[in-house]
Amino acid sequence: SAIPDAAAVAIGPLIRYAERLAPETATAGPRRLVLFPAHSFDAGTAEYEVAGLLDAVADHAASFDEVTACLYWPDVLAGRDEAYRALGVPCVTAGHRNDPAFLFRLLEILRGGAAVATNGVGTHVAYAALLGRPVWVVPQEVRYRPASERRTPADQQAALDLLNGGGGELTREVARRFAEPRDALAPEQRDFVAAVAGDESVKAPEEIAELFRRAEALFADRFGVRRRVALRLAAAARRRRSSA
């Protein structure tokens, strides 16, 4: 590790903390199926047939009042929402993952749905299940191509190869467990997601505050003091050179 004696502390799924900060309020609204299409990322562009995805969920979607597609920001910027809108499906986005409001937007989108359907396994599957929404992983071919014609870094190429190879063992297990549309989560699905997401590791506010205090103290001790010493030594060296 680049940081000596670094310690990792499990704190569970982040969506649990967003829940605490933004309690759900009971509101009447349409019974909505939210689609989470496989999304592009920094190194790869997701390619699939939008019409094919909508056809695959059509029978299940008929029991809902409306269908909405949640797209990730690079797909919105690329104009991929137009294909959904052209077929009568409105689109939303939680924005960029580094936006402080990202998680809260995602929470609102998931809460606004009665169920979730997706053609790609990702964090949204776990978050939806943790919020009690039934999830269906729709079988559809999705291919990822490099987002740039420039040479793709080895780690990003490895990610592309993994995705195009069907994902890892966990990805396949999630797809297997959520292979059918349901009106409600099965108990075994809840238990599986809770275990995989580390739901038992969620910390109380005072525990999180203590972790931050410890981290800040360690950082100041290991880097802040060293930096001040280094600056003093550099200043002393400059004075010696100037007086020579």
Side-chain angles (χ1 to χ4, degrees), residues 12-239:
L14 295 181
I15 201 73
R16 291 303 195 203
Y17 300 95
E19 279 187 288
R20 289 175 178 173
L21 294 170
E24 188 169 10
T25 56
T27 56
R31 188 167 180 270
R32 181 181 299 119
L33 175 65
V34 183
L35 292 179
F36 277 83
H39 65 74
S40 304
F41 63 108
D42 296 347
T45 299
E47 296 182 337
Y48 59 91
E49 292 185 2
V50 172
L53 174 59
L54 296 179
D55 286 345
V57 303
D59 290 344
H60 185 50
S63 62
F64 295 84
D65 298 324
E66 63 181 43
V67 177
T68 298
C70 180
L71 304 182
Y72 197 36
W73 66 271
D75 296 310
V76 174
L77 291 181
R80 296 190 177 91
D81 56 309
E82 296 174 3
Y84 286 92
R85 299 182 194 281
L87 294 171
V89 177
C91 296
V92 295
T93 182
H96 195 289
R97 64 179 180 272
N98 293 342
D99 187 326
F102 171 81
L103 197 59
F104 295 99
R105 294 193 196 103
L106 182 58
L107 176 64
E108 182 180 1
I109 291 167
L110 288 169
R111 281 175 170 171
V116 165
T118 179
N119 60 354
V121 174
T123 311
H124 54 282
V125 174
Y127 283 178
L130 289 168
L131 293 171
R133 272 54 177 181
V135 184
W136 175 27
V137 179
V138 182
Q140 185 184 30
E141 182 180 8
V142 178
R143 300 296 297 173
Y144 293 84
R145 61 175 176 80
S148 171
E149 293 182 358
R150 292 176 296 179
R151 183 176 176 82
T152 303
D155 59 335
Q156 294 181 341
Q157 186 60 54
L160 288 169
D161 293 342
L162 180 64
L163 288 168
N164 285 325
E169 182 179 345
L170 179 58
T171 298
R172 292 189 288 272
E173 180 64 12
V174 171
R176 185 187 71 78
R177 288 177 178 265
F178 292 87
E180 298 178 357
R182 293 175 178 266
D183 294 327
L185 284 172
E188 57 269 23
Q189 290 177 321
R190 290 180 182 272
D191 294 343
F192 171 76
V193 169
V196 169
D199 209 22
E200 75 286 350
S201 298
V202 173
K203 300 290 188 284
E206 56 272 18
E207 292 177 300
I208 292 294
E210 177 59 24
L211 285 174
F212 277 116
R213 283 193 292 269
R214 286 168 51 193
E216 288 172 355
L218 285 170
F219 183 84
D221 180 57
R222 295 178 181 175
F223 298 98
V225 173
R226 292 179 187 177
R227 184 172 184 272
R228 289 196 294 272
V229 170
L231 289 173
R232 291 192 189 116
L233 291 174
R238 286 195 297 272
R239 287 195 297 270

